[in-house]
Amino acid sequence: MKSKLVQLGVLAVLLFMAVSASAQSYLQDPKYGPDEDARKTCATNLNLYKDGFKAKDYKEAYKYWRVAYKICPGASLKALQEGRVIYQHFIETAPNEAAKQAYVDSLMALYDTRIKYFPKYAASALEFKVQDLLVYRPDQAPHALDMINSLVKSQGDNASAEIIAYGMVITCDLYKKKAATADQVMSYYSTYGSVVEKQLAADPTNEEVKNAKTTMDATFVNSGVASCDNLIALYSSKFEQTPNDVDMLKRIVSLLSANRCTKSDLFFKAAIALQKAEPSPEGALNVANLFVERGEYGKALPYFKEAASAKSGKDKANIYLYAASSMMKSGNKSEAKSLARLALDADGNSGMAYIIIANIIGSEKCNAADPILSAGPYFVAVDYLRKAKQVDSSVADEADRLINNYSAAFPSKTDLFSYAYEVGQTITVGCGINERTTVRSR
Protein backbone atom coordinates (compact mmCIF):
# COMPACT_ATOMS: atom_id res chain seq x y z
CA MET A 1 0.00 0.00 0.00
CA LYS A 2 2.80 2.40 0.95
CA SER A 3 4.54 1.70 -2.37
CA LYS A 4 1.35 2.50 -4.28
CA LEU A 5 0.91 5.80 -2.43
CA VAL A 6 4.48 6.77 -3.26
CA GLN A 7 3.84 6.05 -6.94
CA LEU A 8 0.70 8.20 -6.93
CA GLY A 9 2.59 11.02 -5.25
CA VAL A 10 5.34 10.96 -7.82
CA LEU A 11 2.77 10.93 -10.61
CA ALA A 12 1.01 13.98 -9.15
CA VAL A 13 4.28 15.89 -8.94
CA LEU A 14 5.17 15.05 -12.54
CA LEU A 15 1.72 16.07 -13.74
CA PHE A 16 1.97 19.42 -11.90
CA MET A 17 5.37 20.04 -13.41
CA ALA A 18 4.09 19.27 -16.92
CA VAL A 19 1.09 21.58 -16.53
CA SER A 20 3.25 24.35 -15.15
CA ALA A 21 5.71 24.01 -17.99
CA SER A 22 2.88 24.10 -20.51
CA ALA A 23 1.31 27.12 -18.87
CA GLN A 24 4.57 29.04 -18.95
CA SER A 25 5.66 27.94 -22.44
CA TYR A 26 4.13 31.04 -24.06
CA LEU A 27 6.70 33.15 -22.20
CA GLN A 28 9.35 31.71 -24.52
CA ASP A 29 7.20 32.08 -27.65
CA PRO A 30 7.89 35.33 -29.58
CA LYS A 31 4.47 35.25 -31.23
CA TYR A 32 3.07 36.40 -27.87
CA GLY A 33 5.24 39.51 -27.83
CA PRO A 34 8.83 40.81 -27.95
CA ASP A 35 9.59 40.20 -24.24
CA GLU A 36 8.28 38.43 -21.15
CA ASP A 37 6.19 41.36 -19.90
CA ALA A 38 4.55 41.81 -23.29
CA ARG A 39 3.84 38.10 -23.48
CA LYS A 40 2.17 38.08 -20.08
CA THR A 41 0.06 41.08 -21.08
CA CYS A 42 -0.85 39.36 -24.37
CA ALA A 43 -1.91 36.13 -22.70
CA THR A 44 -3.88 37.97 -20.02
CA ASN A 45 -5.87 40.01 -22.53
CA LEU A 46 -6.46 37.04 -24.81
CA ASN A 47 -8.17 35.39 -21.85
CA LEU A 48 -10.00 38.45 -20.57
CA TYR A 49 -11.75 39.35 -23.85
CA LYS A 50 -13.41 35.93 -24.10
CA ASP A 51 -15.99 36.47 -21.35
CA GLY A 52 -17.34 39.61 -22.97
CA PHE A 53 -17.29 37.98 -26.39
CA LYS A 54 -19.26 34.95 -25.20
CA ALA A 55 -21.79 37.29 -23.60
CA LYS A 56 -21.98 39.28 -26.87
CA ASP A 57 -20.84 42.36 -24.97
CA TYR A 58 -18.54 43.32 -27.80
CA LYS A 59 -17.68 46.72 -26.42
CA GLU A 60 -16.35 45.13 -23.22
CA ALA A 61 -14.59 42.38 -25.16
CA TYR A 62 -12.94 44.93 -27.44
CA LYS A 63 -11.15 46.64 -24.52
CA TYR A 64 -9.04 43.54 -24.00
CA TRP A 65 -9.08 42.19 -27.52
CA ARG A 66 -7.50 45.34 -29.00
CA VAL A 67 -4.62 45.16 -26.50
CA ALA A 68 -3.79 41.63 -27.56
CA TYR A 69 -4.29 42.55 -31.22
CA LYS A 70 -1.76 45.37 -30.88
CA ILE A 71 0.85 43.44 -28.90
CA CYS A 72 0.60 39.95 -30.42
CA PRO A 73 -1.49 39.86 -33.63
CA GLY A 74 -0.02 36.50 -34.60
CA ALA A 75 -0.71 34.74 -31.30
CA SER A 76 -4.20 33.40 -32.04
CA LEU A 77 -6.04 32.79 -35.29
CA LYS A 78 -9.27 32.38 -33.36
CA ALA A 79 -8.85 35.84 -31.82
CA LEU A 80 -8.52 37.36 -35.30
CA GLN A 81 -11.55 35.42 -36.52
CA GLU A 82 -13.59 36.66 -33.56
CA GLY A 83 -12.28 40.15 -34.21
CA ARG A 84 -14.32 40.06 -37.41
CA VAL A 85 -17.49 39.56 -35.36
CA ILE A 86 -16.56 42.46 -33.09
CA TYR A 87 -15.91 44.83 -36.01
CA GLN A 88 -19.07 43.75 -37.81
CA HIS A 89 -21.04 44.64 -34.70
CA PHE A 90 -19.39 48.05 -34.55
CA ILE A 91 -20.06 48.65 -38.26
CA GLU A 92 -23.72 47.77 -37.95
CA THR A 93 -24.21 49.91 -34.83
CA ALA A 94 -22.01 52.85 -35.87
CA PRO A 95 -23.51 56.25 -34.93
CA ASN A 96 -22.67 57.81 -38.31
CA GLU A 97 -21.24 57.04 -41.74
CA ALA A 98 -17.75 58.28 -40.90
CA ALA A 99 -17.53 55.95 -37.92
CA LYS A 100 -18.92 53.10 -39.98
CA GLN A 101 -16.31 53.53 -42.71
CA ALA A 102 -13.54 53.75 -40.12
CA TYR A 103 -14.61 50.39 -38.76
CA VAL A 104 -14.76 48.98 -42.29
CA ASP A 105 -11.15 50.12 -42.77
CA SER A 106 -10.24 48.32 -39.55
CA LEU A 107 -12.01 45.18 -40.69
CA MET A 108 -10.18 45.18 -44.02
CA ALA A 109 -6.88 45.67 -42.19
CA LEU A 110 -7.77 42.78 -39.89
CA TYR A 111 -7.99 40.47 -42.90
CA ASP A 112 -4.58 41.63 -44.08
CA THR A 113 -3.23 40.79 -40.63
CA ARG A 114 -4.75 37.31 -40.80
CA ILE A 115 -3.13 36.75 -44.20
CA LYS A 116 0.25 38.00 -42.94
CA TYR A 117 0.45 35.94 -39.75
CA PHE A 118 -1.49 32.88 -40.89
CA PRO A 119 -0.61 32.45 -44.58
CA LYS A 120 -1.75 28.83 -44.50
CA TYR A 121 -5.32 30.13 -44.21
CA ALA A 122 -4.88 33.14 -46.48
CA ALA A 123 -7.43 31.92 -49.01
CA SER A 124 -10.15 31.70 -46.35
CA ALA A 125 -9.31 35.16 -45.06
CA LEU A 126 -9.41 36.62 -48.56
CA GLU A 127 -12.74 34.95 -49.19
CA PHE A 128 -14.31 36.62 -46.15
CA LYS A 129 -12.65 39.90 -47.04
CA VAL A 130 -14.32 39.87 -50.45
CA GLN A 131 -17.69 39.06 -48.93
CA ASP A 132 -17.49 41.88 -46.42
CA LEU A 133 -16.19 44.37 -48.95
CA LEU A 134 -19.18 43.63 -51.20
CA VAL A 135 -21.55 44.05 -48.27
CA TYR A 136 -20.11 47.23 -46.79
CA ARG A 137 -18.66 48.90 -49.89
CA PRO A 138 -20.51 47.70 -52.96
CA ASP A 139 -19.08 50.62 -54.96
CA GLN A 140 -15.69 48.91 -54.74
CA ALA A 141 -16.89 45.99 -56.82
CA PRO A 142 -13.93 46.21 -59.27
CA HIS A 143 -11.51 45.89 -56.37
CA ALA A 144 -13.53 42.97 -55.00
CA LEU A 145 -13.41 41.33 -58.41
CA ASP A 146 -9.63 41.68 -58.50
CA MET A 147 -9.46 39.94 -55.14
CA ILE A 148 -11.77 37.18 -56.35
CA ASN A 149 -9.59 36.59 -59.39
CA SER A 150 -6.56 36.38 -57.14
CA LEU A 151 -8.33 34.04 -54.74
CA VAL A 152 -9.65 31.65 -57.39
CA LYS A 153 -6.30 31.49 -59.17
CA SER A 154 -4.59 30.61 -55.91
CA GLN A 155 -7.14 27.93 -54.98
CA GLY A 156 -7.63 26.44 -58.43
CA ASP A 157 -10.29 23.72 -58.55
CA ASN A 158 -10.81 24.04 -54.78
CA ALA A 159 -12.00 27.64 -55.01
CA SER A 160 -15.29 28.49 -53.33
CA ALA A 161 -18.16 28.08 -55.80
CA GLU A 162 -20.07 30.77 -53.93
CA ILE A 163 -17.22 33.27 -54.34
CA ILE A 164 -16.95 32.41 -58.04
CA ALA A 165 -20.67 33.10 -58.41
CA TYR A 166 -20.17 36.45 -56.64
CA GLY A 167 -17.54 37.26 -59.21
CA MET A 168 -19.94 36.44 -62.04
CA VAL A 169 -22.56 38.78 -60.60
CA ILE A 170 -19.99 41.54 -60.18
CA THR A 171 -18.60 41.08 -63.68
CA CYS A 172 -22.02 41.21 -65.32
CA ASP A 173 -23.02 44.22 -63.25
CA LEU A 174 -19.86 46.00 -64.36
CA TYR A 175 -20.69 45.09 -67.97
CA LYS A 176 -24.12 46.67 -67.63
CA LYS A 177 -22.42 49.79 -66.29
CA LYS A 178 -20.02 49.69 -69.26
CA ALA A 179 -17.10 49.10 -66.88
CA ALA A 180 -16.35 45.65 -68.33
CA THR A 181 -16.38 44.24 -71.86
CA ALA A 182 -18.35 41.34 -73.30
CA ASP A 183 -15.08 39.44 -73.70
CA GLN A 184 -14.34 39.85 -70.00
CA VAL A 185 -17.77 38.51 -69.09
CA MET A 186 -17.42 35.49 -71.37
CA SER A 187 -13.86 34.86 -70.26
CA TYR A 188 -14.85 34.85 -66.60
CA TYR A 189 -17.79 32.54 -67.23
CA SER A 190 -15.72 30.23 -69.39
CA THR A 191 -12.70 30.06 -67.11
CA TYR A 192 -14.29 29.85 -63.67
CA GLY A 193 -17.56 28.24 -64.67
CA SER A 194 -15.59 25.11 -65.49
CA VAL A 195 -14.32 25.04 -61.90
CA VAL A 196 -17.88 25.02 -60.58
CA GLU A 197 -18.88 22.31 -63.05
CA LYS A 198 -15.98 20.10 -61.94
CA GLN A 199 -17.03 20.50 -58.32
CA LEU A 200 -20.63 19.66 -59.16
CA ALA A 201 -19.56 16.60 -61.14
CA ALA A 202 -17.51 15.44 -58.15
CA ASP A 203 -20.44 15.94 -55.74
CA PRO A 204 -23.82 16.35 -57.50
CA THR A 205 -25.61 16.62 -54.12
CA ASN A 206 -23.69 19.69 -52.94
CA GLU A 207 -26.40 22.33 -52.61
CA GLU A 208 -23.95 25.22 -52.31
CA VAL A 209 -22.28 24.31 -55.58
CA LYS A 210 -25.63 23.67 -57.29
CA ASN A 211 -26.89 27.08 -56.22
CA ALA A 212 -23.65 28.70 -57.36
CA LYS A 213 -23.97 27.12 -60.81
CA THR A 214 -27.60 28.21 -61.07
CA THR A 215 -26.60 31.77 -60.15
CA MET A 216 -23.74 31.81 -62.65
CA ASP A 217 -25.83 30.45 -65.51
CA ALA A 218 -28.78 32.73 -64.86
CA THR A 219 -26.57 35.79 -64.43
CA PHE A 220 -24.67 35.06 -67.62
CA VAL A 221 -27.78 34.35 -69.70
CA ASN A 222 -29.43 37.55 -68.46
CA SER A 223 -26.32 39.65 -69.04
CA GLY A 224 -27.07 40.19 -72.72
CA VAL A 225 -23.63 38.85 -73.62
CA ALA A 226 -24.57 35.26 -74.29
CA SER A 227 -25.54 35.55 -77.95
CA CYS A 228 -24.72 32.70 -80.30
CA ASP A 229 -22.34 34.90 -82.29
CA ASN A 230 -20.39 35.90 -79.17
CA LEU A 231 -20.22 32.36 -77.83
CA ILE A 232 -19.13 30.91 -81.15
CA ALA A 233 -16.51 33.61 -81.57
CA LEU A 234 -15.17 32.93 -78.08
CA TYR A 235 -15.04 29.14 -78.28
CA SER A 236 -14.23 28.43 -81.92
CA SER A 237 -10.54 29.24 -81.52
CA LYS A 238 -10.36 27.35 -78.24
CA PHE A 239 -11.87 24.30 -79.89
CA GLU A 240 -9.42 24.47 -82.77
CA GLN A 241 -6.49 24.78 -80.37
CA THR A 242 -7.48 21.96 -78.00
CA PRO A 243 -10.12 19.79 -79.68
CA ASN A 244 -9.49 16.92 -77.25
CA ASP A 245 -9.93 18.90 -74.03
CA VAL A 246 -12.91 17.08 -72.49
CA ASP A 247 -13.70 19.79 -69.93
CA MET A 248 -13.73 22.43 -72.65
CA LEU A 249 -15.90 20.24 -74.89
CA LYS A 250 -18.41 19.81 -72.07
CA ARG A 251 -18.37 23.55 -71.53
CA ILE A 252 -19.05 24.28 -75.20
CA VAL A 253 -21.85 21.72 -75.47
CA SER A 254 -23.48 22.85 -72.23
CA LEU A 255 -23.18 26.56 -72.95
CA LEU A 256 -24.33 26.45 -76.56
CA SER A 257 -27.18 24.14 -75.65
CA ALA A 258 -28.34 26.43 -72.82
CA ASN A 259 -28.34 29.38 -75.19
CA ARG A 260 -30.04 27.53 -78.09
CA CYS A 261 -27.05 27.61 -80.38
CA THR A 262 -27.31 23.92 -81.28
CA LYS A 263 -27.57 24.47 -85.03
CA SER A 264 -24.06 25.88 -85.22
CA ASP A 265 -21.16 23.94 -86.69
CA LEU A 266 -19.23 24.48 -83.46
CA PHE A 267 -21.88 22.71 -81.40
CA PHE A 268 -22.05 19.90 -83.95
CA LYS A 269 -18.27 19.35 -83.96
CA ALA A 270 -17.95 19.67 -80.19
CA ALA A 271 -20.77 17.20 -79.53
CA ILE A 272 -19.18 14.60 -81.82
CA ALA A 273 -15.73 15.17 -80.30
CA LEU A 274 -17.13 14.87 -76.78
CA GLN A 275 -18.93 11.64 -77.59
CA LYS A 276 -15.74 10.22 -79.04
CA ALA A 277 -13.65 11.29 -76.05
CA GLU A 278 -16.16 10.39 -73.37
CA PRO A 279 -18.90 8.10 -74.73
CA SER A 280 -22.31 8.11 -73.10
CA PRO A 281 -25.79 7.01 -74.22
CA GLU A 282 -27.06 10.58 -73.80
CA GLY A 283 -24.21 11.94 -75.87
CA ALA A 284 -24.77 9.34 -78.58
CA LEU A 285 -28.46 10.21 -78.77
CA ASN A 286 -27.61 13.90 -78.93
CA VAL A 287 -25.25 13.35 -81.86
CA ALA A 288 -27.80 11.13 -83.61
CA ASN A 289 -30.37 13.87 -83.30
CA LEU A 290 -27.94 16.41 -84.75
CA PHE A 291 -27.40 14.23 -87.81
CA VAL A 292 -31.17 13.77 -88.18
CA GLU A 293 -31.67 17.54 -88.07
CA ARG A 294 -29.13 17.83 -90.88
CA GLY A 295 -30.92 15.16 -92.89
CA GLU A 296 -27.91 12.83 -92.63
CA TYR A 297 -29.95 9.85 -91.46
CA GLY A 298 -27.42 7.19 -92.35
CA LYS A 299 -24.76 8.86 -90.19
CA ALA A 300 -27.22 9.06 -87.31
CA LEU A 301 -27.86 5.32 -87.28
CA PRO A 302 -24.63 4.16 -85.55
CA TYR A 303 -25.19 6.67 -82.78
CA PHE A 304 -28.79 5.53 -82.31
CA LYS A 305 -27.59 1.97 -81.93
CA GLU A 306 -24.82 3.04 -79.55
CA ALA A 307 -27.33 4.85 -77.35
CA ALA A 308 -29.78 1.94 -77.41
CA SER A 309 -27.10 -0.58 -76.50
CA ALA A 310 -26.70 1.03 -73.09
CA LYS A 311 -30.43 1.00 -72.30
CA SER A 312 -33.08 -1.62 -71.64
CA GLY A 313 -36.85 -2.05 -71.69
CA LYS A 314 -38.93 0.91 -72.79
CA ASP A 315 -35.95 3.28 -72.87
CA LYS A 316 -34.20 1.02 -75.34
CA ALA A 317 -37.39 0.56 -77.35
CA ASN A 318 -38.02 4.31 -77.56
CA ILE A 319 -34.55 4.94 -78.98
CA TYR A 320 -35.08 2.28 -81.64
CA LEU A 321 -38.49 3.79 -82.46
CA TYR A 322 -36.93 7.22 -82.91
CA ALA A 323 -34.29 5.66 -85.12
CA ALA A 324 -36.94 3.79 -87.12
CA SER A 325 -38.93 6.99 -87.69
CA SER A 326 -35.75 8.71 -88.87
CA MET A 327 -35.02 5.90 -91.32
CA MET A 328 -38.58 6.17 -92.62
CA LYS A 329 -37.90 9.82 -93.43
CA SER A 330 -34.81 8.79 -95.36
CA GLY A 331 -36.81 6.25 -97.36
CA ASN A 332 -34.85 3.32 -95.92
CA LYS A 333 -37.87 1.16 -95.12
CA SER A 334 -35.88 -2.02 -94.67
CA GLU A 335 -33.72 -0.48 -91.94
CA ALA A 336 -36.73 1.16 -90.33
CA LYS A 337 -38.50 -2.20 -90.16
CA SER A 338 -35.46 -3.85 -88.59
CA LEU A 339 -35.23 -1.10 -86.00
CA ALA A 340 -38.93 -1.42 -85.16
CA ARG A 341 -38.43 -5.14 -84.61
CA LEU A 342 -35.51 -4.36 -82.31
CA ALA A 343 -37.87 -2.08 -80.39
CA LEU A 344 -40.26 -5.02 -80.01
CA ASP A 345 -37.41 -7.19 -78.78
CA ALA A 346 -36.78 -4.62 -76.06
CA ASP A 347 -40.45 -4.02 -75.26
CA GLY A 348 -43.00 -6.47 -76.59
CA ASN A 349 -45.83 -4.15 -75.60
CA SER A 350 -44.73 -1.30 -77.84
CA GLY A 351 -47.83 -0.54 -79.86
CA MET A 352 -45.97 2.10 -81.82
CA ALA A 353 -43.44 -0.46 -83.03
CA TYR A 354 -46.28 -2.55 -84.45
CA ILE A 355 -47.76 0.53 -86.12
CA ILE A 356 -44.44 1.41 -87.78
CA ILE A 357 -44.09 -2.14 -89.11
CA ALA A 358 -47.71 -2.08 -90.30
CA ASN A 359 -47.18 1.17 -92.21
CA ILE A 360 -43.99 -0.09 -93.82
CA ILE A 361 -45.66 -3.31 -94.97
CA GLY A 362 -48.86 -1.53 -95.97
CA SER A 363 -46.88 0.85 -98.18
CA GLU A 364 -45.34 -1.95 -100.22
CA LYS A 365 -46.53 -2.20 -103.81
CA CYS A 366 -47.11 -5.84 -104.57
CA ASN A 367 -47.71 -6.94 -108.15
CA ALA A 368 -48.61 -10.57 -107.54
CA ALA A 369 -50.30 -13.18 -109.72
CA ASP A 370 -53.80 -11.92 -108.90
CA PRO A 371 -55.52 -9.02 -107.13
CA ILE A 372 -56.03 -11.03 -103.96
CA LEU A 373 -52.33 -11.78 -103.48
CA SER A 374 -51.51 -8.20 -104.52
CA ALA A 375 -53.66 -7.01 -101.59
CA GLY A 376 -51.63 -9.21 -99.25
CA PRO A 377 -49.61 -6.30 -97.74
CA TYR A 378 -52.87 -4.71 -96.56
CA PHE A 379 -53.93 -7.92 -94.83
CA VAL A 380 -50.60 -8.17 -93.03
CA ALA A 381 -50.64 -4.49 -92.11
CA VAL A 382 -54.02 -4.92 -90.44
CA ASP A 383 -52.68 -7.95 -88.56
CA TYR A 384 -49.96 -5.78 -87.06
CA LEU A 385 -52.38 -2.97 -86.28
CA ARG A 386 -54.68 -5.33 -84.42
CA LYS A 387 -51.68 -6.54 -82.46
CA ALA A 388 -50.80 -2.94 -81.65
CA LYS A 389 -54.25 -2.38 -80.13
CA GLN A 390 -53.99 -5.62 -78.23
CA VAL A 391 -50.72 -4.81 -76.46
CA ASP A 392 -51.06 -1.03 -76.12
CA SER A 393 -54.43 0.64 -75.65
CA SER A 394 -52.85 4.09 -75.93
CA VAL A 395 -52.45 3.61 -79.72
CA ALA A 396 -55.95 2.20 -80.27
CA ASP A 397 -57.37 5.30 -81.96
CA GLU A 398 -54.48 5.58 -84.42
CA ALA A 399 -54.58 1.85 -85.08
CA ASP A 400 -58.32 1.96 -85.79
CA ARG A 401 -57.87 4.86 -88.21
CA LEU A 402 -55.22 2.97 -90.13
CA ILE A 403 -57.21 -0.27 -90.09
CA ASN A 404 -60.08 1.57 -91.77
CA ASN A 405 -57.71 2.97 -94.39
CA TYR A 406 -56.14 -0.38 -95.25
CA SER A 407 -59.43 -2.25 -95.06
CA ALA A 408 -60.82 0.08 -97.72
CA ALA A 409 -58.20 -1.36 -100.07
CA PHE A 410 -59.23 -4.99 -99.48
CA PRO A 411 -60.63 -6.88 -102.47
CA SER A 412 -64.39 -7.14 -102.83
CA LYS A 413 -66.31 -10.36 -102.28
CA THR A 414 -66.84 -10.49 -106.04
CA ASP A 415 -63.06 -10.44 -106.52
CA LEU A 416 -62.68 -13.30 -104.06
CA PHE A 417 -65.30 -15.37 -105.91
CA SER A 418 -63.78 -14.56 -109.31
CA TYR A 419 -60.33 -15.80 -108.22
CA ALA A 420 -61.61 -18.70 -106.13
CA TYR A 421 -60.64 -17.40 -102.69
CA GLU A 422 -62.61 -17.52 -99.46
CA VAL A 423 -62.65 -15.16 -96.48
CA GLY A 424 -60.38 -16.60 -93.80
CA GLN A 425 -58.28 -18.59 -96.23
CA THR A 426 -54.57 -18.67 -95.30
CA ILE A 427 -52.09 -17.32 -97.82
CA THR A 428 -48.39 -16.42 -97.90
CA VAL A 429 -47.70 -12.85 -98.96
CA GLY A 430 -44.65 -12.46 -101.16
CA CYS A 431 -43.19 -9.21 -102.52
CA GLY A 432 -40.38 -9.35 -99.97
CA ILE A 433 -42.81 -9.56 -97.03
CA ASN A 434 -42.96 -13.34 -96.73
CA GLU A 435 -45.57 -13.56 -93.98
CA ARG A 436 -48.65 -15.72 -93.63
CA THR A 437 -52.05 -14.07 -93.20
CA THR A 438 -55.74 -14.61 -93.94
CA VAL A 439 -57.83 -13.35 -96.84
CA ARG A 440 -60.40 -10.66 -96.09
CA SER A 441 -62.81 -8.54 -98.10
CA ARG A 442 -63.99 -4.99 -97.76
Side-chain angles (χ1 to χ4, degrees):
M1 174 66 76
K2 183 176 180 181
S3 175
K4 190 171 183 179
L5 288 173
V6 170
Q7 290 176 351
L8 289 173
V10 171
L11 179 62
V13 170
L14 291 174
L15 181 60
F16 174 78
M17 291 174 63
V19 171
S20 297
S22 174
Q24 298 297 317
S25 64
Y26 74 89
L27 293 176
Q28 282 74 49
D29 192 338
K31 75 179 182 180
Y32 286 92
D35 53 49
E36 187 172 306
D37 288 341
R39 291 165 194 169
K40 288 180 180 179
T41 302
C42 170
T44 299
N45 283 276
L46 281 176
N47 284 319
L48 289 175
Y49 93 85
K50 292 177 182 177
D51 289 338
F53 186 84
K54 289 178 182 178
K56 297 185 178 181
D57 186 350
Y58 299 120
K59 186 175 181 179
E60 178 68 17
Y62 183 66
K63 289 193 302 184
Y64 304 105
W65 179 90
R66 69 178 177 180
V67 175
Y69 180 49
K70 183 177 181 180
I71 296 174
C72 50
S76 169
L77 174 60
K78 185 176 181 181
L80 296 180
Q81 292 170 333
E82 292 178 339
R84 178 192 187 221
V85 178
I86 293 172
Y87 278 129
Q88 284 180 323
H89 172 75
F90 290 163
I91 291 168
E92 292 163 8
T93 59
N96 52 59
E97 186 62 23
K100 177 180 178 180
Q101 293 305 320
Y103 286 129
V104 173
D105 286 337
S106 297
L107 178 59
M108 294 297 109
L110 176 64
Y111 286 121
D112 294 336
T113 300
R114 280 177 58 176
I115 293 170
K116 176 181 178 181
Y117 288 98
F118 297 94
K120 182 178 178 181
Y121 306 102
S124 176
L126 187 56
E127 182 176 327
F128 284 115
K129 184 177 182 181
V130 168
Q131 290 177 340
D132 287 345
L133 183 61
L134 290 173
V135 170
Y136 299 124
R137 288 177 178 167
D139 60 311
Q140 292 192 12
H143 179 47
L145 185 58
D146 288 340
M147 288 194 292
I148 288 175
N149 279 310
S150 175
L151 173 64
V152 176
K153 286 178 182 177
S154 67
Q155 292 182 312
D157 290 344
N158 296 318
S160 164
E162 186 176 9
I163 284 293
I164 291 174
Y166 276 154
M168 187 77 252
V169 173
I170 294 171
T171 304
C172 289
D173 186 58
L174 291 173
Y175 172 74
K176 291 178 181 178
K177 295 176 180 177
K178 298 183 178 180
T181 66
D183 285 346
Q184 287 174 315
V185 174
M186 291 190 292
S187 179
Y188 187 97
Y189 184 76
S190 171
T191 303
Y192 298 140
S194 61
V195 174
V196 176
E197 287 188 348
K198 286 180 184 178
Q199 292 179 2
L200 191 58
D203 183 6
T205 63
N206 191 314
E207 290 298 323
E208 180 182 312
V209 178
K210 286 166 66 176
N211 291 337
K213 186 178 187 310
T214 298
T215 297
M216 285 198 70
D217 291 344
T219 303
F220 181 63
V221 169
N222 293 327
S223 69
V225 173
S227 68
C228 289
D229 288 343
N230 281 343
L231 293 173
I232 292 169
L234 174 65
Y235 284 103
S236 290
S237 59
K238 293 184 179 183
F239 175 76
E240 295 299 331
Q241 292 169 7
T242 55
N244 299 316
D245 184 336
V246 174
D247 289 332
M248 185 201 64
L249 293 172
K250 288 180 179 178
R251 193 75 183 149
I252 292 174
V253 170
S254 173
L255 192 53
L256 293 183
S257 179
N259 289 279
R260 300 179 182 179
C261 308
T262 56
K263 295 189 181 300
S264 65
D265 284 340
L266 176 60
F267 182 82
F268 181 73
K269 293 176 181 178
I272 293 175
L274 178 59
Q275 179 60 18
K276 182 179 180 180
E278 196 171 276
S280 71
E282 293 74 21
L285 192 58
N286 182 38
V287 173
N289 186 58
L290 291 175
F291 276 116
V292 168
E293 289 179 352
R294 289 173 169 240
E296 299 181 68
Y297 303 104
K299 292 181 179 179
L301 188 55
Y303 291 99
F304 276 128
K305 291 182 176 180
E306 182 182 350
S309 67
K311 300 292 184 179
S312 61
K314 289 185 178 180
D315 290 338
K316 189 184 195 82
N318 286 336
I319 293 173
Y320 279 131
L321 288 175
Y322 183 22
S325 297
S326 299
M327 291 304 106
M328 286 282 284
K329 292 178 181 177
S330 73
N332 191 339
K333 295 180 182 180
S334 176
E335 189 65 60
K337 187 176 178 181
S338 296
L339 290 165
R341 291 195 183 281
L342 288 173
L344 284 175
D345 290 341
D347 177 18
N349 293 321
S350 174
M352 188 54 65
Y354 281 112
I355 286 179
I356 289 174
I357 295 171
N359 282 332
I360 291 172
I361 291 174
S363 67
E364 294 292 340
K365 300 300 180 183
C366 186
N367 296 316
D370 58 58
I372 311 306
L373 293 177
S374 295
Y378 305 134
F379 300 149
V380 178
V382 170
D383 292 340
Y384 277 98
L385 291 168
R386 286 176 176 170
K387 184 67 174 178
K389 291 173 56 178
Q390 180 183 336
V391 301
D392 186 358
S393 61
S394 69
V395 302
D397 289 344
E398 176 64 7
D400 283 335
R401 184 185 70 79
L402 292 169
I403 287 171
N404 289 333
N405 289 345
Y406 289 123
S407 296
F410 286 174
S412 66
K413 291 181 180 180
T414 300
D415 291 332
L416 296 186
F417 178 78
S418 299
Y419 289 91
Y421 287 94
E422 295 180 359
V423 172
Q425 181 179 339
T426 300
I427 61 172
T428 298
V429 179
C431 300
I433 298 171
N434 301 319
E435 293 198 30
R436 293 179 68 76
T437 187
T438 58
V439 173
R440 274 150 281 184
S441 66
R442 60 176 180 268

